[in-house]
């Protein structure tokens, strides 16, 4: 039984030893008692605390609040518990004597002590508790942040109660806002992709039953239908008997990683598909060149499986020789860490057949830039190689065929020219027959015209053959345009008359181009003659020289003729294409423009055309210009192919009966007869031999001043014959001029004549005038002790034909200054004479022509310009006839001969 004293003592003991601070305050809020724990908690001893307002123990900012609160409390009737402070516990902030604040737990109770209202406050320092609480909260927050950032959610499932807890990060993993999805296993299951549900359930069961950690990747379908990948890991917590109590897990979204993984798989599969299915094979070697990888398709190429290759080097697959070559190349590449570019190498396949590989690769470098190997691709190019070899062979065959074609054309030309030779030659001879009546004269003109046309066609075909055979022999040099244009004018005049066309050529230019003079003239003549031919009567052709693109001269040939339609323009420059004019009366072969284009381009120039149907055409050629100050190397007319009809002369009446004989070697009886008549009509005595052997026999019995020989003959041909003659002459200081007569004028043949010791060649059919000019040219040189002409310089012969300086030397003595003086007087006066002749021909003035031609003939003879003199003589003789076309043709030859004479004089002065 408790006594009052017992209760008091026990209360006192509680008061004194209580852990919590206990304070008693009166109804004014003043402290009337405090226990030792209160002294310790607030730092005031009881003397300091007693009588103080309880507000002393609070931070300043709560003190007024506390006063208000106390007033309201006292306002309540005693024992009324309406005010929530009484009988409740609250958390407050208290203040220590030293000013430090700290959280406290306050329990307040009201007492009635002898009618007085008193309050008892039990105060507990909860600083530590608060710290723990804060730490916990921080941790939780950190965990939440961590889960947020990592996209991780956690769950906790109570196996017994089936209660499930998951963190707020779980719903977003299922496509719901944070915390929006109600936590339940059904919701979790519903979110799982239907195809993965069984997998997940199995994994959970296995974990629970067999204690295998729950570790699974599965898909979930979000409310928007998108599919996402989750990774789940978890384990089971068991009780002492091993019975599962809880299962805990972590879920994370691995969609991105999964996508990367899927992409990687796909790209790997793609690479594998490509590597395995491409015809090339992929490889990797280490720094020592040892294969570390190779794709399976090597088997299709070399017959080895990859495992048979890995560990070997590429050189193990080659012959020793090839390995030596390729390893040296590879060593150099590897030393410089260069890529391998299109390295061709021959390998031996497993069955021993040879395979050519085309290797490409890139160096593999480590972080320090050291070479650790190569990776690359090998392509099987064996078929390609064989094909290339076959192509080369085919090309060679084609080239041989082309050559054969050229030879065929050459031979064909021989076959065509030989009878043509006879036709034209005999026709010319008829021309000298004064007994021909008018009809016969007309027929003869027709034979000549047709024969010349045929000759022109053959020449053009031969030119085309040369172009196609790529054997154009160009003599490039600085070529003044003015000279060429003057010549073109003179040559084209007869054609203008025939077609009633006005030709205007602006020759007033000092332009010079880098070109082959002869070929350029041929091109311009073709363009001009086209302009004349494809024109209307009284039409006009105009030739102008102007600046072209960059440092080029442009020579334009404009006509007011038929013009060319745009469609036809596309087909221009095609061999044998006469466009719409194939059936017309206008003569042509359709080859001229092709040849012109080829010539122009071979000379580094260009050719073009613009045309308006019905109005006319504008053809032009452009060539690189040559500076006017540059010394001009005039290009002479040395091409035998083109010299064929340069001298359209008639028989020279002046040549007296010649002393000395000519030996003609020819196997064709018609040509034999023709030659004989031609030579006799020129007053030469002639012997005819049928081949080289027969000719040597003649030579052994008779001395000859000149030999004319065919080239293609049975038994001993012309070349062999000429060689024997030269051997016999060797050391005897003798030289009989040998002139070849040939229908074969393909480029390259000229060299052959020279090599055989021949002096010159004449193209079949040989016209009487050319025959005469050539014989005249060499007749004097057959004098004994005279050095052979060709053996010194082939050009000399040509030059002596234009200007035989020995004539002046014989007349004036060997004083260069004397004959130079005479030559310079000639160059000053002769152009005026030429002009007079041209004017006389244009105005068809017989008398003026006779006088001017005679004057120039004398001057030309005096200085040794033999060809010029011969042409003048023909003009002089012809001046009494009325054949002005012929006269016009001769003036064309005259202009050319004059230019050549001037060029040779320039060399002598
Ligand atoms: P050809 O004149 O011998 O037929 P070309 O090769 O010189 O051969 O010309 C080919 C064709 O181009 C001619 O047949 C003609 O139809 C056409 N042609 C050439 N020049 C002209 C021109 N100035 N005006 C109209 N047509 C032309």
């Amino acid at each position: 039984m408790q006594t009052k004293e017992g209760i008091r003592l026990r209360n006192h003991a509680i008061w004194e030893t209580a852990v919590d601070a206990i304070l008693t305050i009166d109804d004014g809020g003043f402290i009337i008692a405090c226990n030792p724990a209160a002294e310790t908690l607030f730092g005031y001893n009881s003397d300091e605390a007693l009588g103080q307002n309880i507000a002393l123990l609070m931070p300043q900012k709560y003190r007024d609040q506390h006063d208000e609160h106390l007033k309201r409390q006292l306002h309540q009737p005693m024992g009324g518990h309406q005010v929530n402070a009484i009988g409740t516990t609250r958390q407050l902030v208290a203040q220590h004597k030293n000013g430090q604040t700290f959280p406290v737990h306050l329990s307040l109770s009201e007492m009635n002590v002898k009618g007085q209202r008193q309050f008892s406050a039990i105060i507990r320092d909860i600083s530590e508790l608060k710290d723990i609480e804060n730490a916990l909260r921080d941790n939780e927050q950190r965990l939440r942040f961590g889960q947020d950032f990592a996209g991780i959610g956690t769950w906790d499932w109570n196996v017994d109660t089936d209660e499930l807890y998951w963190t707020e990060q779980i719903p977003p993993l299922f496509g719901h806002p944070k915390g929006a999805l109600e936590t339940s296993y059904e919701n979790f299951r519903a979110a799982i992709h239907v195809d993965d549900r069984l997998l997940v359930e199995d994994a959970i069961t296995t974990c629970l039953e067999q204690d295998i950690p729950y570790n699974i990747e599965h898909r979930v379908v979000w409310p928007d239908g998108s599919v996402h990948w989750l990774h789940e890991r978890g384990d089971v917590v068991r009780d002492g008997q091993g019975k599962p109590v809880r299962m805990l897990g972590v879920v994370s979204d691995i969609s991105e990683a999964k996508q990367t993984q899927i992409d990687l798989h796909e790209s790997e599969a793609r690479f594998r598909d490509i590597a395995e299915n491409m015809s090339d094979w992929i490889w990797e070697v280490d720094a020592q060149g040892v294969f570390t990888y190779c794709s399976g398709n090597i088997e299709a190429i070399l017959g080895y499986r990859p495992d048979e290759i890995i560990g070997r080097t590429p050189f193990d697959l080659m012959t020793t020789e090839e390995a030596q070559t390729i390893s040296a190349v590879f060593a150099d590449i590897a030393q410089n860490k260069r890529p391998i570019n299109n390295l061709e190498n021959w390998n031996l396949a497993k069955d021993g057949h040879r395979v050519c590989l085309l290797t490409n690769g890139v160096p593999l470098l480590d972080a320090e830039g050291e070479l650790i190997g190569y990776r690359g691709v090998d392509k099987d190019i064996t078929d390609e190689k064989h094909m290339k070899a076959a192509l080369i062979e085919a090309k060679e065959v084609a080239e041989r065929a082309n050559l054969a074609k050229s030879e065929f054309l050459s031979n064909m030309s021989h076959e065509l020219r030989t009878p043509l030779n006879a036709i034209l030659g005999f026709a010319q001879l008829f021309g000298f027959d004064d007994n021909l009546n008018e009809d016969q004269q007309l027929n003869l003109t027709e034979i000549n015209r047709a024969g010349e046309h045929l000759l022109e066609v053959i020449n053009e075909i031969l030119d085309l053959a040369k172009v196609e055979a790529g054997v154009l022999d160009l003599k490039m040099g600085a070529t003044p345009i003015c000279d060429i244009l003057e010549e073109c004018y003179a040559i084209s005049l007869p054609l203008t008359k025939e077609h009633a066309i006005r030709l205007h050529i602006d020759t007033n230019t000092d332009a010079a181009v880098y070109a082959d003079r002869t070929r350029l003239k041929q091109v311009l003549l073709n363009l001009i003659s086209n302009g004349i031919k494809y024109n209307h009567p009284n039409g006009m052709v105009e030739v102008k020289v102007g600046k072209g693109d960059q440092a080029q001269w442009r020579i334009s040939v404009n006509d007011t003729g038929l013009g060319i339609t745009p469609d036809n323009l596309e087909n221009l420059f095609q061999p044998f294409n006469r466009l719409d004019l194939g059936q017309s009366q206008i003569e042509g072969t359709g080859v001229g423009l092709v040849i012109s284009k080829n010539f122009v381009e071979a000379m580094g120039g260009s050719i073009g055309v613009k045309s308006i149907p019905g109005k006319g055409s504008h053809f032009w050629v452009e060539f690189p210009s040559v500076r006017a100050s540059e010394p001009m190397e005039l290009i002479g007319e040395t091409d035998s192919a083109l010299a064929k009809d340069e001298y359209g002369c008639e028989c020279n009446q002046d040549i007296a009966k010649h002393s000395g004989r000519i030996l003609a070697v020819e196997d064709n009886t018609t040509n034999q007869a023709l030659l004989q008549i031609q030579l006799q009509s020129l007053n030469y005595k002639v012997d005819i031999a049928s081949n080289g052997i027969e000719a040597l026999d003649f030579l052994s019995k008779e001395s000859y001043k000149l030999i004319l020989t065919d080239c293609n003959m049975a038994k001993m041909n012309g070349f062999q014959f000429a060689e024997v003659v030269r051997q016999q002459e060797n050391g005897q200081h003798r030289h009989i001029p040998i002139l070849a007569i040939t229908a074969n004028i393909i480029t390259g043949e000229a060299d052959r004549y020279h090599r055989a010791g021949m002096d010159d060649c004449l193209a079949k059919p040989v016209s009487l005038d050319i025959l005469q000019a050539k014989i005249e040219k060499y007749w004097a040189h057959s004098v004994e002790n005279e050095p052979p002409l060709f053996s010194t310089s082939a050009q000399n012969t040509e030059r002596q034909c234009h200007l035989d300086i020995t004539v002046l030397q014989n007349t004036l003595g060997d004083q260069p200054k004397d004959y130079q003086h005479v030559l310079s007087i000639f160059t000053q006066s002769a152009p005026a004479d030429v002009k007079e002749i041209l004017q006389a021909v244009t105005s068809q003035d017989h008398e003026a022509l006779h006088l001017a031609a005679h004057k120039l003939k004398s001057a030309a003879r005096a200085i040794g310009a033999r060809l010029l003199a011969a042409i003048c003589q023909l003009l002089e003789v012809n001046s009494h006839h009325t054949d002005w076309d012929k006269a016009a043709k001769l003036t064309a030859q005259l202009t050319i001969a004059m230019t050549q004479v001037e060029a040779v004089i320039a060399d002598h002065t």
Side-chain angles (χ1 to χ4, degrees), residues 456 460 526-527 529-535 559 561-564 572-574 577-582 586-596 611 616-619:
E456 198 182 313
E460 285 196 334
N526 182 44
L527 296 183
S529 70
N530 278 352
I532 297 170
K533 281 194 305 182
Y534 305 114
N535 215 321
D559 66 62
L562 311 178
I564 304 165
L572 211 63
F573 304 112
Q574 284 177 3
N577 193 340
R578 298 207 64 216
L579 309 179
D580 299 330
L581 297 169
I586 310 169
E587 270 179 6
T589 54
V591 177
L593 282 180
V594 191
I595 295 170
S596 297
S611 188
S617 304
H618 164 68
F619 280 84

Short mmCIF file of all heavy atoms in Angstrom, two decimals, residues 456 460 526-527 529-535 559 561-564 572-574 577-582 586-596 611 616-619, ligand 1:
data_model
loop_
_atom_site.label_atom_id
_atom_site.label_comp_id
_atom_site.label_asym_id
_atom_site.label_seq_id
_atom_site.Cartn_x
_atom_site.Cartn_y
_atom_site.Cartn_z
N GLU A 456 41.46 12.09 -158.52
CA GLU A 456 41.18 12.84 -157.28
C GLU A 456 40.56 11.92 -156.23
O GLU A 456 40.93 11.93 -155.07
CB GLU A 456 40.22 13.98 -157.61
CG GLU A 456 40.19 15.08 -156.56
CD GLU A 456 39.17 16.14 -156.98
OE1 GLU A 456 39.19 16.56 -158.16
OE2 GLU A 456 38.36 16.49 -156.14
N GLU A 460 42.05 10.95 -152.64
CA GLU A 460 41.35 11.19 -151.38
C GLU A 460 41.24 9.91 -150.57
O GLU A 460 41.42 9.90 -149.36
CB GLU A 460 39.97 11.77 -151.65
CG GLU A 460 40.07 13.23 -152.06
CD GLU A 460 38.75 13.98 -151.97
OE1 GLU A 460 37.70 13.33 -152.07
OE2 GLU A 460 38.79 15.20 -151.80
N ASN A 526 39.97 22.64 -149.79
CA ASN A 526 38.76 21.83 -149.71
C ASN A 526 37.56 22.67 -149.27
O ASN A 526 36.48 22.59 -149.85
CB ASN A 526 38.98 20.65 -148.76
CG ASN A 526 37.75 19.75 -148.70
OD1 ASN A 526 37.17 19.43 -149.71
ND2 ASN A 526 37.34 19.40 -147.49
N LEU A 527 37.79 23.51 -148.22
CA LEU A 527 36.69 24.34 -147.73
C LEU A 527 36.26 25.34 -148.80
O LEU A 527 35.06 25.56 -149.02
CB LEU A 527 37.11 25.08 -146.45
CG LEU A 527 37.43 24.19 -145.23
CD1 LEU A 527 37.76 25.05 -144.02
CD2 LEU A 527 36.26 23.27 -144.90
N SER A 529 36.71 25.09 -152.10
CA SER A 529 36.07 24.43 -153.25
C SER A 529 34.66 23.99 -152.88
O SER A 529 33.75 24.06 -153.71
CB SER A 529 36.92 23.26 -153.76
OG SER A 529 36.90 22.23 -152.82
N ASN A 530 34.44 23.57 -151.62
CA ASN A 530 33.07 23.23 -151.19
C ASN A 530 32.17 24.47 -151.26
O ASN A 530 31.04 24.40 -151.72
CB ASN A 530 33.07 22.70 -149.75
CG ASN A 530 33.45 21.23 -149.70
OD1 ASN A 530 33.57 20.59 -150.73
ND2 ASN A 530 33.67 20.71 -148.51
N GLY A 531 32.72 25.60 -150.76
CA GLY A 531 31.97 26.86 -150.78
C GLY A 531 31.57 27.22 -152.20
O GLY A 531 30.48 27.76 -152.44
N ILE A 532 32.44 26.93 -153.14
CA ILE A 532 32.15 27.25 -154.55
C ILE A 532 31.15 26.25 -155.12
O ILE A 532 30.16 26.61 -155.75
CB ILE A 532 33.47 27.25 -155.37
CG1 ILE A 532 34.41 28.35 -154.86
CG2 ILE A 532 33.17 27.44 -156.85
CD1 ILE A 532 35.82 28.28 -155.43
N LYS A 533 31.45 24.95 -154.87
CA LYS A 533 30.62 23.89 -155.46
C LYS A 533 29.17 23.94 -154.97
O LYS A 533 28.24 23.81 -155.74
CB LYS A 533 31.19 22.51 -155.08
CG LYS A 533 32.38 22.08 -155.90
CD LYS A 533 32.69 20.59 -155.72
CE LYS A 533 32.90 20.13 -154.31
NZ LYS A 533 33.23 18.72 -154.16
N TYR A 534 29.02 24.11 -153.63
CA TYR A 534 27.68 24.04 -153.04
C TYR A 534 27.09 25.45 -152.91
O TYR A 534 26.72 25.88 -151.83
CB TYR A 534 27.73 23.30 -151.69
CG TYR A 534 28.35 21.94 -151.85
CD1 TYR A 534 29.57 21.63 -151.26
CD2 TYR A 534 27.74 20.98 -152.63
CE1 TYR A 534 30.16 20.39 -151.42
CE2 TYR A 534 28.32 19.73 -152.82
CZ TYR A 534 29.52 19.44 -152.22
OH TYR A 534 30.09 18.22 -152.40
N ASN A 535 27.10 26.17 -154.02
CA ASN A 535 26.66 27.55 -154.03
C ASN A 535 25.67 27.76 -155.16
O ASN A 535 25.47 26.89 -156.00
CB ASN A 535 27.89 28.45 -154.22
CG ASN A 535 27.76 29.74 -153.44
OD1 ASN A 535 26.69 30.31 -153.38
ND2 ASN A 535 28.87 30.20 -152.86
N ASP A 559 30.21 31.13 -147.24
CA ASP A 559 29.62 31.13 -148.57
C ASP A 559 28.15 31.49 -148.50
O ASP A 559 27.55 31.47 -147.42
CB ASP A 559 29.82 29.75 -149.27
CG ASP A 559 29.08 28.63 -148.58
OD1 ASP A 559 27.84 28.68 -148.52
OD2 ASP A 559 29.74 27.68 -148.09
N GLY A 561 25.86 29.88 -150.12
CA GLY A 561 25.35 28.73 -150.87
C GLY A 561 24.13 28.04 -150.28
O GLY A 561 23.30 28.64 -149.60
N LEU A 562 24.09 26.71 -150.50
CA LEU A 562 22.92 25.92 -150.17
C LEU A 562 22.67 25.81 -148.67
O LEU A 562 21.54 25.64 -148.23
CB LEU A 562 23.09 24.50 -150.74
CG LEU A 562 23.51 24.39 -152.20
CD1 LEU A 562 23.68 22.92 -152.58
CD2 LEU A 562 22.45 25.02 -153.09
N GLY A 563 23.74 25.91 -147.90
CA GLY A 563 23.61 25.73 -146.45
C GLY A 563 23.40 24.25 -146.11
O GLY A 563 23.23 23.41 -147.01
N ILE A 564 23.42 23.96 -144.82
CA ILE A 564 23.29 22.56 -144.37
C ILE A 564 22.25 22.53 -143.25
O ILE A 564 22.28 23.37 -142.35
CB ILE A 564 24.66 22.05 -143.83
CG1 ILE A 564 25.73 22.21 -144.91
CG2 ILE A 564 24.58 20.61 -143.38
CD1 ILE A 564 27.14 22.08 -144.40
N LEU A 572 27.93 15.57 -140.71
CA LEU A 572 29.08 16.10 -141.47
C LEU A 572 30.34 15.44 -140.91
O LEU A 572 30.33 14.95 -139.79
CB LEU A 572 29.11 17.62 -141.22
CG LEU A 572 29.65 18.51 -142.33
CD1 LEU A 572 28.78 18.40 -143.56
CD2 LEU A 572 29.68 19.95 -141.86
N PHE A 573 31.40 15.46 -141.60
CA PHE A 573 32.67 14.87 -141.14
C PHE A 573 32.60 13.35 -141.02
O PHE A 573 33.36 12.75 -140.27
CB PHE A 573 33.14 15.47 -139.80
CG PHE A 573 33.28 16.96 -139.82
CD1 PHE A 573 32.43 17.77 -139.08
CD2 PHE A 573 34.27 17.57 -140.58
CE1 PHE A 573 32.55 19.15 -139.10
CE2 PHE A 573 34.39 18.95 -140.61
CZ PHE A 573 33.54 19.75 -139.87
N GLN A 574 31.63 12.74 -141.69
CA GLN A 574 31.60 11.27 -141.72
C GLN A 574 32.08 10.83 -143.11
O GLN A 574 31.61 11.38 -144.11
CB GLN A 574 30.18 10.75 -141.51
CG GLN A 574 29.75 10.82 -140.07
CD GLN A 574 28.31 10.36 -139.91
OE1 GLN A 574 27.67 9.94 -140.86
NE2 GLN A 574 27.82 10.45 -138.69
N ASN A 577 30.01 10.42 -146.63
CA ASN A 577 28.65 10.91 -146.43
C ASN A 577 28.50 12.24 -147.17
O ASN A 577 29.04 13.25 -146.74
CB ASN A 577 28.35 11.07 -144.94
CG ASN A 577 26.86 11.26 -144.70
OD1 ASN A 577 26.12 11.63 -145.62
ND2 ASN A 577 26.43 10.97 -143.49
N ARG A 578 27.73 12.20 -148.25
CA ARG A 578 27.56 13.42 -149.03
C ARG A 578 26.25 14.11 -148.65
O ARG A 578 25.72 14.92 -149.39
CB ARG A 578 27.59 13.10 -150.52
CG ARG A 578 28.94 12.50 -150.95
CD ARG A 578 29.22 12.79 -152.39
NE ARG A 578 29.35 14.20 -152.63
CZ ARG A 578 28.93 14.83 -153.75
NH1 ARG A 578 28.35 14.13 -154.68
NH2 ARG A 578 29.08 16.12 -153.89
N LEU A 579 25.72 13.73 -147.52
CA LEU A 579 24.47 14.29 -147.00
C LEU A 579 23.37 14.09 -148.06
O LEU A 579 23.19 12.98 -148.52
CB LEU A 579 24.67 15.76 -146.60
CG LEU A 579 25.87 15.99 -145.67
CD1 LEU A 579 26.03 17.44 -145.32
CD2 LEU A 579 25.75 15.15 -144.39
N ASP A 580 22.70 15.19 -148.44
CA ASP A 580 21.60 15.00 -149.40
C ASP A 580 22.07 15.12 -150.85
O ASP A 580 21.26 15.10 -151.77
CB ASP A 580 20.51 16.04 -149.17
CG ASP A 580 19.93 15.90 -147.77
OD1 ASP A 580 19.92 14.77 -147.26
OD2 ASP A 580 19.51 16.92 -147.20
N LEU A 581 23.38 15.24 -151.04
CA LEU A 581 23.85 15.58 -152.39
C LEU A 581 24.44 14.41 -153.15
O LEU A 581 25.10 14.59 -154.17
CB LEU A 581 24.86 16.73 -152.30
CG LEU A 581 24.25 18.02 -151.73
CD1 LEU A 581 25.33 19.02 -151.41
CD2 LEU A 581 23.27 18.60 -152.73
N GLY A 582 24.23 13.19 -152.60
CA GLY A 582 24.81 12.01 -153.21
C GLY A 582 24.40 11.84 -154.67
O GLY A 582 25.19 11.45 -155.51
N ILE A 586 26.62 17.68 -158.63
CA ILE A 586 27.87 18.26 -158.11
C ILE A 586 28.82 17.12 -157.76
O ILE A 586 28.47 16.22 -156.97
CB ILE A 586 27.60 19.12 -156.85
CG1 ILE A 586 26.45 20.10 -157.13
CG2 ILE A 586 28.86 19.85 -156.41
CD1 ILE A 586 25.93 20.81 -155.90
N GLU A 587 30.01 17.20 -158.34
CA GLU A 587 30.97 16.12 -158.12
C GLU A 587 31.52 16.14 -156.70
O GLU A 587 31.75 17.20 -156.13
CB GLU A 587 32.15 16.27 -159.10
CG GLU A 587 31.90 15.52 -160.38
CD GLU A 587 33.05 15.70 -161.35
OE1 GLU A 587 34.06 16.31 -160.97
OE2 GLU A 587 32.90 15.22 -162.48
N GLY A 588 31.75 14.98 -156.15
CA GLY A 588 32.33 14.93 -154.81
C GLY A 588 32.41 13.50 -154.33
O GLY A 588 31.79 12.61 -154.92
N THR A 589 33.18 13.29 -153.28
CA THR A 589 33.34 11.93 -152.76
C THR A 589 32.82 11.81 -151.33
O THR A 589 32.66 10.71 -150.82
CB THR A 589 34.83 11.55 -152.73
OG1 THR A 589 35.52 12.57 -151.99
CG2 THR A 589 35.41 11.42 -154.10
N GLY A 590 32.63 12.95 -150.66
CA GLY A 590 32.21 12.91 -149.26
C GLY A 590 33.35 12.56 -148.32
O GLY A 590 33.13 12.11 -147.20
N VAL A 591 34.56 12.77 -148.76
CA VAL A 591 35.72 12.41 -147.93
C VAL A 591 36.52 13.65 -147.51
O VAL A 591 37.18 13.66 -146.47
CB VAL A 591 36.65 11.44 -148.72
CG1 VAL A 591 37.88 11.10 -147.92
CG2 VAL A 591 35.90 10.17 -149.06
N GLY A 592 36.39 14.72 -148.31
CA GLY A 592 37.23 15.91 -148.08
C GLY A 592 37.16 16.45 -146.66
O GLY A 592 38.19 16.73 -146.04
N LEU A 593 35.95 16.56 -146.13
CA LEU A 593 35.83 17.16 -144.79
C LEU A 593 36.40 16.26 -143.71
O LEU A 593 36.98 16.73 -142.74
CB LEU A 593 34.36 17.48 -144.50
CG LEU A 593 33.82 18.75 -145.18
CD1 LEU A 593 32.36 18.97 -144.81
CD2 LEU A 593 34.63 19.98 -144.80
N VAL A 594 36.24 14.95 -143.87
CA VAL A 594 36.80 14.01 -142.86
C VAL A 594 38.31 14.17 -142.85
O VAL A 594 38.94 14.26 -141.78
CB VAL A 594 36.50 12.55 -143.23
CG1 VAL A 594 36.82 11.64 -142.07
CG2 VAL A 594 35.09 12.38 -143.69
N ILE A 595 38.88 14.19 -144.05
CA ILE A 595 40.33 14.31 -144.14
C ILE A 595 40.76 15.65 -143.54
O ILE A 595 41.69 15.73 -142.73
CB ILE A 595 40.80 14.20 -145.61
CG1 ILE A 595 40.49 12.79 -146.12
CG2 ILE A 595 42.26 14.52 -145.74
CD1 ILE A 595 40.69 12.63 -147.61
N SER A 596 40.00 16.72 -143.90
CA SER A 596 40.34 18.04 -143.37
C SER A 596 40.32 18.03 -141.86
O SER A 596 41.24 18.53 -141.20
CB SER A 596 39.33 19.08 -143.87
OG SER A 596 39.42 19.16 -145.26
N SER A 611 25.72 26.84 -140.06
CA SER A 611 25.11 26.93 -141.38
C SER A 611 23.63 27.24 -141.26
O SER A 611 22.96 26.82 -140.31
CB SER A 611 25.31 25.61 -142.11
OG SER A 611 24.89 25.76 -143.43
N GLY A 616 23.52 29.87 -146.51
CA GLY A 616 24.96 29.70 -146.65
C GLY A 616 25.60 29.06 -145.44
O GLY A 616 24.94 28.78 -144.43
N SER A 617 26.90 28.83 -145.56
CA SER A 617 27.63 28.15 -144.48
C SER A 617 28.84 28.97 -144.07
O SER A 617 29.38 29.74 -144.87
CB SER A 617 28.09 26.77 -144.94
OG SER A 617 26.98 26.04 -145.38
N HIS A 618 29.22 28.72 -142.81
CA HIS A 618 30.40 29.40 -142.27
C HIS A 618 31.29 28.31 -141.69
O HIS A 618 31.01 27.76 -140.63
CB HIS A 618 29.93 30.38 -141.20
CG HIS A 618 31.01 30.87 -140.30
ND1 HIS A 618 32.02 31.69 -140.73
CD2 HIS A 618 31.24 30.68 -138.98
CE1 HIS A 618 32.83 31.95 -139.72
NE2 HIS A 618 32.37 31.35 -138.65
N PHE A 619 32.33 27.93 -142.44
CA PHE A 619 33.31 26.96 -141.94
C PHE A 619 34.50 27.73 -141.40
O PHE A 619 34.86 28.78 -141.93
CB PHE A 619 33.79 26.04 -143.07
CG PHE A 619 32.84 24.94 -143.40
CD1 PHE A 619 31.75 25.15 -144.25
CD2 PHE A 619 33.00 23.68 -142.85
CE1 PHE A 619 30.86 24.14 -144.54
CE2 PHE A 619 32.12 22.64 -143.15
CZ PHE A 619 31.05 22.87 -144.00
P1 LIG B 1 32.49 16.26 -151.11
O1 LIG B 1 32.43 17.72 -151.28
O2 LIG B 1 33.54 15.62 -151.94
O3 LIG B 1 31.16 15.61 -151.24
P2 LIG B 1 33.16 16.83 -148.35
O4 LIG B 1 33.60 15.88 -147.29
O5 LIG B 1 34.02 17.98 -148.64
O6 LIG B 1 32.94 15.93 -149.61
O7 LIG B 1 31.72 17.33 -147.96
C1 LIG B 1 30.76 16.40 -147.50
C2 LIG B 1 29.35 16.92 -147.78
O8 LIG B 1 29.09 18.06 -146.95
C3 LIG B 1 29.15 17.41 -149.18
O9 LIG B 1 28.82 16.35 -150.06
C4 LIG B 1 28.01 18.39 -149.00
O10 LIG B 1 26.77 17.71 -148.97
C5 LIG B 1 28.25 18.98 -147.64
N1 LIG B 1 28.98 20.26 -147.70
C6 LIG B 1 30.30 20.48 -147.50
N2 LIG B 1 30.58 21.80 -147.58
C7 LIG B 1 29.43 22.43 -147.81
C8 LIG B 1 29.06 23.81 -147.99
N3 LIG B 1 29.95 24.77 -147.93
N4 LIG B 1 27.75 24.08 -148.21
C9 LIG B 1 26.82 23.09 -148.24
N5 LIG B 1 27.10 21.79 -148.09
C10 LIG B 1 28.39 21.46 -147.88
#
